[in-house]
Amino acid sequence: MSHQALHLRKIRDFGERIGDTVQFIKFNWTRLLGLYAVFVIPFLLTGIILGANSIGDFFTSFSGDPRSITGLMGGKMLLAMLMFLIAGASYSTVVYLYMDHYDKTNGEKHTIQQVASDFPKALLFTIGYTFLLILMMLPVFGLLALGFFAMKAQAVMLILLIPVLFVFFLLAMVYFLTLYPVNIIERGSFGSAIPATFKLLRGRWWFSVGYIIILTIIYYFFAMAISTMLNLIFGLTAINMMDAEKNAGMAKTYAYVFGLSTLIQQIFYLLIFVGNGIHYYSIHEEKMGIGLEQEISNIGLGSKNTEHDEVW
């Protein structure tokens, strides 16, 4: 059964953004899950296998010396963390490429092959921004750590620092999430998304913070339900495995259970990525009015072109 295409470029209130997020996923979930399977799961599986083997090796060789814990961060674990990072970058990249194509083709559902044509460059830019932001945040966290230890003896100052850190984290999270659709959808040169994101969020920081918090709460509701169920299953099967000689095997098994939980949980990242995309289009429309220009143009062409029967 056909449905009217969702107009992405329009001004929405808070509730409409949540509603349109659900609507977009509802009408495009098969394509979005296909993108997840092709462009995200291979990275996640690689990371899960590497991480599980790294944990198994660690428990096998653990000597009881607390200093040997550093052995956990070997080459396999570092590569596993890199795979998880690339998986997240790939996930956001394909979702926003799909939304961009959807917007530019008046609601056409693009195939995996069509999204793949723009994928390599977009992914490289996304990974580049991720590492750039990490490098930018390191000195900030270093200064915060120094301030924390400097004020450790002053309880009042330390108490005041906690809400400052919390606010900083929220603003950084909103900026980081908004940078992704700005990078993918606006297709600028590398680095152009950094000032463009500040410009887009100007005057909308706290609205964006509230919106992202609600999306995150909805995501965690589903993710925690899946995680709790799998952990209960693993706990019941592990009751008779409390033999010390089997610790390494249990740790490795739990790593795989955690990995399976991660694979399922990350499906619900669609709520955050699509919701953030809807938020981007809404803010962009508030400031640029491109969607209104498109509607006026479509009205003007209506008498000349009768092939499109969807109303935008």
Side-chain angles (χ1 to χ4, degrees):
M1 185 170 126
S2 61
H3 69 279
Q4 181 174 311
L6 182 66
H7 186 192
L8 297 180
R9 295 187 182 274
K10 71 175 185 179
I11 299 174
R12 300 171 174 86
D13 61 24
F14 197 100
E16 287 176 321
R17 297 179 198 211
I18 299 293
D20 281 355
T21 297
V22 175
Q23 285 292 99
F24 188 88
I25 294 175
K26 176 182 177 182
F27 293 126
N28 297 276
W29 68 271
T30 54
R31 301 295 173 90
L32 292 170
L33 286 184
L35 293 172
Y36 175 69
V38 172
F39 293 100
V40 183
I41 286 182
F43 293 114
L44 287 177
L45 283 177
T46 304
I48 290 166
I49 294 171
L50 288 169
N53 280 279
S54 178
I55 292 172
D57 294 343
F58 166 73
F59 274 93
T60 300
S61 60
F62 182 60
S63 63
D65 185 349
R67 289 176 296 181
S68 64
I69 294 177
T70 57
L72 182 62
M73 294 304 295
K76 288 182 183 179
M77 183 58 72
L78 291 175
L79 191 56
M81 293 172 65
L82 179 63
M83 288 297 102
F84 283 119
L85 186 149
I86 294 175
S90 180
Y91 204 169
S92 64
T93 297
V94 294
V95 168
Y96 297 132
L97 281 175
Y98 184 86
M99 295 184 77
D100 184 44
H101 289 310
Y102 183 97
D103 171 56
K104 290 178 178 176
T105 57
N106 291 355
E108 178 183 335
K109 294 184 177 181
H110 276 60
T111 63
I112 290 174
Q113 292 80 3
Q114 289 171 314
V115 173
S117 63
D118 295 322
F119 177 72
K121 180 180 178 181
L123 177 63
L124 286 175
F125 273 33
T126 302
I127 293 174
Y129 278 119
T130 301
F131 281 110
L132 184 60
L133 286 173
I134 290 173
L135 291 174
M136 292 170 61
M137 295 295 288
L138 284 177
V140 174
F141 282 112
L143 291 173
L144 290 173
L146 288 174
F148 176 82
F149 287 112
M151 292 185 292
K152 191 173 181 180
Q154 303 179 19
V156 175
M157 293 297 294
L158 186 59
I159 292 173
L160 292 176
L161 181 63
I162 292 174
V164 171
L165 290 176
F166 182 69
V167 170
F168 175 80
F169 169 78
L170 289 177
L171 295 178
M173 178 183 66
V174 166
Y175 179 84
F176 188 77
L177 288 174
T178 308
L179 181 73
Y180 281 159
V182 171
N183 164 46
I184 300 299
I185 297 171
E186 298 190 7
R187 309 289 181 92
S189 59
F190 185 74
S192 62
I194 294 176
T197 303
F198 279 113
K199 181 178 179 181
L200 188 68
L201 288 172
R202 187 180 301 137
R204 306 298 287 163
W205 282 98
W206 295 115
F207 182 93
S208 300
V209 166
Y211 179 74
I212 294 300
I213 288 176
I214 295 300
L215 282 179
T216 304
I217 290 173
I218 295 172
Y219 160 75
Y220 271 108
F221 173 80
F222 291 103
M224 289 304 294
I226 296 295
S227 177
T228 300
M229 180 182 67
L230 290 175
N231 285 331
L232 284 173
I233 294 173
F234 174 78
L236 290 174
T237 59
I239 289 176
N240 295 320
M241 296 175 59
M242 300 309 291
D243 188 336
E245 295 180 359
K246 297 181 179 180
N247 281 344
M250 281 187 60
K252 192 172 182 179
T253 301
Y254 185 75
Y256 280 118
V257 171
F258 176 79
L260 174 62
S261 175
T262 300
L263 283 176
I264 299 174
Q265 286 180 37
Q266 290 209 4
I267 293 174
F268 297 104
Y269 271 2
L270 284 174
L271 286 166
I272 293 178
F273 289 137
V274 172
N276 197 45
I278 293 291
H279 183 56
Y280 161 82
Y281 280 112
S282 301
I283 297 179
H284 197 272
E285 183 60 21
E286 290 174 10
K287 299 195 173 185
M288 305 298 178
I290 294 176
L292 181 59
E293 294 175 2
Q294 289 178 346
E295 287 192 71
I296 294 174
S297 177
N298 287 341
I299 292 172
L301 294 173
S303 59
K304 298 179 182 180
N305 186 358
T306 58
E307 294 179 358
H308 298 285
D309 56 359
E310 292 180 333
V311 178
W312 282 72

